[in-house]
Amino acid sequence: MPQSPFRHDLLHGKVALITGGGTGICFGIAQELARHGASVVLMGRREEVLKEAVASLHKEGLKAAFVSGDVRDYGQAEKAVATTVATFGRLDILLNGAAGNFLCPTDQLSANGFKTVIDIDLLGTFNMTRAAFKDLKSSGDSLVLNISATLHYQGTLMQAHVMAAKAGIEALGRNLACEWGEHGIRVCAIAPGAIGDTEGMRRLAPMGADKKIAAEVPLRRLGSIQDIANAAVFLSSSAASYITGEVLVVDGGAWLIKPALVTREMWEKLAAKSPRA
Ligand code: COA
């Protein structure tokens, strides 16, 4: 287990419900929240995957349970919240991580393909958040943490459906930060860049594209699940108690940078010919 930069009991007594928590980035977040003292409930569609994930947390001696369900269904969102409160007595952190994604040029995307991603990502985030309101309010010091992306900060080809969904999630989060602040509910998001060893990278950056991305990121590497989990632990902690409505981009600077029109080598040749030209 890597050494954490945070105090081990930072989230002691907190209860978190994590959608999409059975695998990948959201499992990594669940694991890290639990390692810092939180009790976690993993929600997803595949019971077998959830069972295995919870067993691995139990093996570490962490407090974890699961509830199977689809975030697109409001009744199942309510059931997940009720199960969390029945199991661990409260709800302090709702992490909306369930997401669907695939590459598809928009002229090939069906209306149902577009709707499916909007339903999982955006409607799913609304359903879970709305269903959790009463318990987040009872907590008095709670957080809705949405997983966004950086795709919609520019025009990302073949990702119109996800761009639309994530832009909606960020807008919804800003609204709720304002409406629900008075109830002690903070609403934040993390926008991960390209994160290595994930389903997303396998789907969205096949055929060696991951190496090309890593070479172009200002910090010169892909992100890790740990990078995202650390951001989630920070935002879940009292160190972030005055931060709401904010999207924390964790991408090594990737979305900021444009391809250079003039490379450094070209500049050196030009400079050698005519210094200060
Ligand atoms: N390209 C284009 N359209 C696609 C697609 C793809 N790769 N995958 C699904 N769709 C379309 C389907 O064709 C269908 O539309 P249609 O009825 O017009 O044909 C629609 O999306 C629904 O597909 P379906 O497979 O029935 O939905 P689902 O709810 O079972 O699947 C997805 C959900 C679409 C998110 C699926 O890709 C999935 O389960 N992905 C794994 C999880 C994931 O993506 N994680 C995120 C990693 S970043």
Side-chain angles (χ1 to χ4, degrees):
M1 194 193 314
Q3 178 91 25
S4 171
F6 302 108
R7 219 180 54 212
H8 76 279
D9 61 348
L10 195 64
L11 304 176
H12 177 75
K14 296 275 184 190
V15 175
L17 169 58
I18 295 149
T19 74
T23 57
I25 292 176
C26 294
F27 175 71
I29 293 174
Q31 191 172 37
E32 217 50 39
L33 296 182
R35 284 173 177 168
H36 290 85
S39 304
V40 297
V41 177
L42 314 183
M43 180 188 183
R45 283 187 291 168
R46 294 169 296 165
E47 194 160 320
E48 278 313 305
V49 171
L50 295 169
K51 262 190 197 155
E52 233 175 79
V54 165
S56 81
L57 296 176
H58 284 167
K59 221 185 240 176
E60 272 192 54
L62 304 173
K63 285 171 271 177
F66 73 86
V67 56
S68 58
D70 189 329
V71 295
R72 290 175 280 194
D73 181 320
Y74 190 74
Q76 293 182 39
E78 287 184 307
K79 185 187 107 187
V81 171
T83 304
T84 303
V85 175
T87 309
F88 291 120
R90 53 190 294 124
L91 176 61
D92 307 288
I93 301 163
L94 170 66
L95 187 119
N96 288 307
N101 202 350
F102 49 79
L103 290 172
C104 189
T106 310
D107 62 5
Q108 299 298 309
L109 182 64
S110 71
N112 194 37
F114 185 84
K115 179 178 180 301
T116 298
V117 171
I118 296 289
D119 281 355
I120 299 171
D121 294 24
L122 179 54
L123 180 65
T125 295
F126 173 81
N127 284 346
M128 293 302 301
T129 309
R130 176 66 187 84
F133 171 69
K134 187 173 63 64
D135 292 293
L136 292 170
K137 184 178 165 190
S138 298
S139 157
D141 177 16
S142 59
L143 171 71
V144 177
L145 184 54
N146 297 324
I147 301 300
S148 184
T150 58
L151 303 169
H152 54 294
Y153 301 164
Q154 296 172 304
T156 306
L157 305 180
M158 296 186 270
Q159 291 279 268
H161 40 315
V162 183
M163 286 181 61
K166 297 298 191 184
I169 287 171
E170 289 190 10
L172 177 64
R174 289 193 184 99
N175 169 277
L176 294 179
C178 297
E179 286 198 21
W180 292 2
E182 66 179 298
H183 303 302
I185 304 172
R186 293 185 297 116
V187 185
C188 292
I190 295 173
I195 305 302
D197 198 22
T198 58
E199 173 71 15
M201 280 302 284
R202 283 184 281 278
R203 281 173 172 254
L204 306 179
M207 296 184 279
D210 54 340
K211 291 196 179 58
K212 187 167 177 286
I213 295 170
E216 288 169 2
V217 173
L219 290 181
R220 295 290 185 270
R221 66 171 175 88
L222 294 178
S224 65
I225 291 177
Q226 188 70 44
D227 290 321
I228 306 304
N230 285 344
V233 171
F234 162 66
L235 287 170
S236 301
S237 77
S238 59
S241 64
Y242 203 52
I243 300 176
T244 192
E246 198 54 47
V247 180
L248 181 56
V249 176
V250 184
D251 76 339
W255 86 267
L256 293 171
I257 194 159
K258 288 181 175 177
L261 294 176
V262 175
T263 62
R264 190 176 175 101
E265 291 71 31
M266 288 160 72
W267 173 82
E268 279 166 0
K269 276 184 197 158
L270 290 170
K273 266 193 217 154
S274 88
R276 306 268 169 218

